[in-house]
Amino acid sequence: MKKALILMIATLACATPGANEDAKQQLEKEIMATVNRFLHAVNTADTALMEELIRPEAMTYARIQESHGKFTTKARQQAHFLEDLRQDPQYYERIWDPVILVDEQIAAVWAQYDFYVGGEFSHCGTDLFTLVRENGAWKIANSVWTVVKVGCPPSPLGEISD
């Protein structure tokens, strides 16, 4: 009986990490689906979709590199970005190599990005999305990014195409 109990505990101990890893990978897929849908909304000026994906009180913080090299911070509600998108729907943003931190209820996605306006390169930087899980769905709670206009390395995604 003792050997059977030890065998059962050992089997469960071995199975649990894999099960947890599978659950984590599923959460990461859901999180990236939300971020990718958000970027699709930006790239297609789909403000209705964007409103579905963000918390109503979501904030944005941009660390903008000025011409003298120092950075300033611009903070505003995500709703202002929605208004910008409605007025000038020519934005295109891509991210690559995301790093995802996840718990069952909160998550963060950190990635490099490039940004285009009217098909022309505007800037690059780092995006950070924080997300919360509500009623089984991931919502973007806040976003922070840097805006770097000089010295951007080439994107590993190559040139954008029309």
Side-chain angles (χ1 to χ4, degrees), residues 2 21 24 26 36 80 82 108-109 122 135 149 154 162:
K2 189 176 183 180
E21 188 61 30
K24 181 181 178 215
Q26 180 58 37
N36 288 330
H80 294 298
L82 290 170
V109 176
S122 173
N135 301 318
K149 294 202 176 233
D162 294 332

Side-chain angles (χ1 to χ4, degrees), residues 96-116:
W96 57 89
D97 297 332
V99 175
I100 305 165
L101 300 174
V102 61
D103 170 297
E104 290 181 10
Q105 298 300 315
I106 62 172
V109 176
W110 173 286
Q112 299 303 302
Y113 79 96
D114 57 9
F115 195 85
Y116 297 77

Side-chain angles (χ1 to χ4, degrees), residues 35-144:
V35 170
N36 288 330
R37 288 180 69 211
F38 177 83
L39 292 172
H40 175 75
V42 169
N43 297 344
T44 60
D46 188 342
T47 56
L49 175 58
M50 193 176 288
E51 286 175 330
E52 285 178 30
L53 299 171
I54 62 173
R55 299 254 325 132
E57 71 282 357
M59 291 291 296
T60 65
Y61 301 89
R63 289 286 292 158
I64 302 166
Q65 185 178 34
E66 302 295 334
S67 60
H68 50 74
K70 293 189 179 187
F71 284 81
T72 59
T73 301
K74 182 178 182 180
R76 62 188 187 153
Q77 290 186 321
Q78 184 74 36
H80 294 298
F81 181 72
L82 290 170
E83 192 54 40
D84 289 350
L85 196 57
R86 286 183 187 102
Q87 292 177 15
D88 189 10
Q90 299 179 25
Y91 300 147
Y92 188 78
E93 180 175 359
R94 322 181 284 182
I95 64 171
W96 57 89
D97 297 332
V99 175
I100 305 165
L101 300 174
V102 61
D103 170 297
E104 290 181 10
Q105 298 300 315
I106 62 172
V109 176
W110 173 286
Q112 299 303 302
Y113 79 96
D114 57 9
F115 195 85
Y116 297 77
V117 178
E120 296 293 321
F121 177 78
S122 173
H123 60 273
C124 68
T126 302
D127 275 339
L128 172 60
F129 299 96
T130 58
L131 298 94
V132 295
R133 192 171 190 195
E134 297 177 337
N135 301 318
W138 289 99
K139 300 281 186 178
I140 295 175
N142 293 300
S143 54
V144 181

